[in-house]
């Protein structure tokens, strides 16, 4: 019958970013006529990343959830009420295109402002906003702080780009709504700078 008797055990912990715990154990194997001393070594890799996201961050998670929920809200508005969302965004409705005849007037962007049609691209915008919000909340929940801030920085550039589009194509009546996009982009920049300071 084999008997295993522990004789000595000790451990050592490295100082690398991913902690490696080495366990050394000396055991006495009483097996048959030739007892022997065995040295077993086991290494276990530990990560500094904690299990629960709430334990990983030194900043409040609520801003990420609030901003993410706001993006999801805008996305739902674009999908459920696309016609109203044109004015909120700062763009004119798409001009209607009647049958082309020799005496038919060419539709203009001004005409499309009041009785235009909704482009399917507005639904794309809604899906885009939903994905932005869901990504922000998911990254915060999983505790990926650097990824969240990188995504927020990219999102700020998107808002500045949206504002430029509105400024160029929103017309005189809606051109001022570009400021809303730029203010939102500046808010994201400030949030990123505050958390990366």
């Amino acid at each position: 019958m084999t008997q295993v008797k522990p004789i000595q055990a000790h451990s050592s912990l490295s100082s690398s970013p991913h902690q490696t715990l080495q366990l050394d154990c000396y055991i006495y194997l009483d097996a048959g006529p030739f007892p022997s001393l065995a040295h077993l070594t086991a290494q276990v890799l530990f990560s500094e990343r904690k299990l629960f996201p709430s334990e990983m961050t030194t900043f409040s998670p609520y801003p990420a959830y609030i901003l993410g929920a706001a993006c999801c809200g805008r996305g739902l508005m674009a999908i459920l009420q696309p016609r109203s969302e044109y004015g909120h965004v700062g763009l004119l409705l798409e001009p209607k295109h009647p049958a082309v005849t020799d005496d038919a007037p060419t539709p203009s962007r001004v005409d499309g402002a009041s009785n235009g049609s909704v482009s399917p691209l507005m639904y794309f915008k809604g899906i885009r906003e939903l994905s932005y919000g869901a990504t922000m909340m998911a990254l915060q929940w999983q505790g990926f702080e650097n990824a969240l801030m990188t995504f927020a920085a990219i999102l700020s550039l998107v808002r500045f780009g949206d504002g430029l589009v509105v400024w160029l194509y929103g017309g005189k009546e809606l051109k001022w709504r570009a400021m809303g996009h730029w203010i939102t982009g500046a808010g994201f920049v400030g949030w990123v700078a505050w958390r990366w300071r």
Side-chain angles (χ1 to χ4, degrees):
M1 180 178 180
T2 302
Q3 297 181 1
V4 179
K5 300 179 181 179
I7 297 179
Q8 182 181 3
H10 72 276
S11 63
S12 60
L13 189 65
S14 69
S15 59
S16 61
H18 293 283
Q19 303 295 333
T20 302
L21 179 63
Q22 177 171 313
L23 302 176
D24 293 299
C25 183
Y26 297 89
I27 59 176
Y28 178 75
L29 301 177
D30 185 7
F34 303 104
S36 61
L37 185 67
H39 176 205
L40 303 179
T41 301
Q43 289 188 346
V44 182
L45 183 66
F46 292 90
S47 174
E48 289 183 339
R49 184 176 181 273
K50 298 181 181 179
L51 179 61
F52 299 101
S54 60
E55 298 177 356
M56 295 180 57
T57 178
T58 58
F59 296 95
S60 173
Y62 295 111
Y65 294 135
I66 293 173
L67 293 173
C71 290
C72 290
R74 292 304 300 269
L76 290 176
M77 290 173 60
I79 293 174
L80 300 177
Q81 297 180 334
R83 179 174 292 270
S84 300
E85 190 65 11
Y86 268 85
H88 297 157
V89 171
L91 293 176
L92 301 172
L93 289 168
E94 300 297 324
K96 293 182 178 180
H97 298 283
V100 178
T101 61
D102 294 337
D103 57 349
T106 302
S108 64
R109 295 292 296 174
V110 177
D111 296 333
S114 58
N115 59 357
S117 61
V118 174
S119 171
L121 293 176
M122 184 56 68
Y123 298 107
F124 285 168
K125 178 188 180 299
I127 295 172
R128 185 192 78 164
E129 295 293 334
L130 284 172
S131 67
Y132 288 165
T135 300
M136 291 184 63
M137 291 188 286
L139 290 175
Q140 179 63 60
W141 174 254
Q142 296 174 8
F144 296 114
E145 297 290 335
N146 291 336
L148 174 61
M149 290 298 95
T150 301
F151 181 74
I154 296 173
L155 191 54
S156 68
L157 298 178
V158 173
R159 298 309 184 195
F160 288 128
D162 290 345
L164 181 60
V165 171
V166 172
W167 183 265
L168 295 176
Y169 300 101
K172 294 181 179 180
E173 296 179 356
L174 299 174
K175 190 175 184 179
W176 63 274
R177 288 191 176 272
M179 296 300 298
H181 295 280
W182 292 334
I183 292 173
T184 303
F188 276 109
V189 171
W191 184 43
V192 171
W194 175 64
R195 293 190 59 161
W196 270 349
R197 70 183 190 276

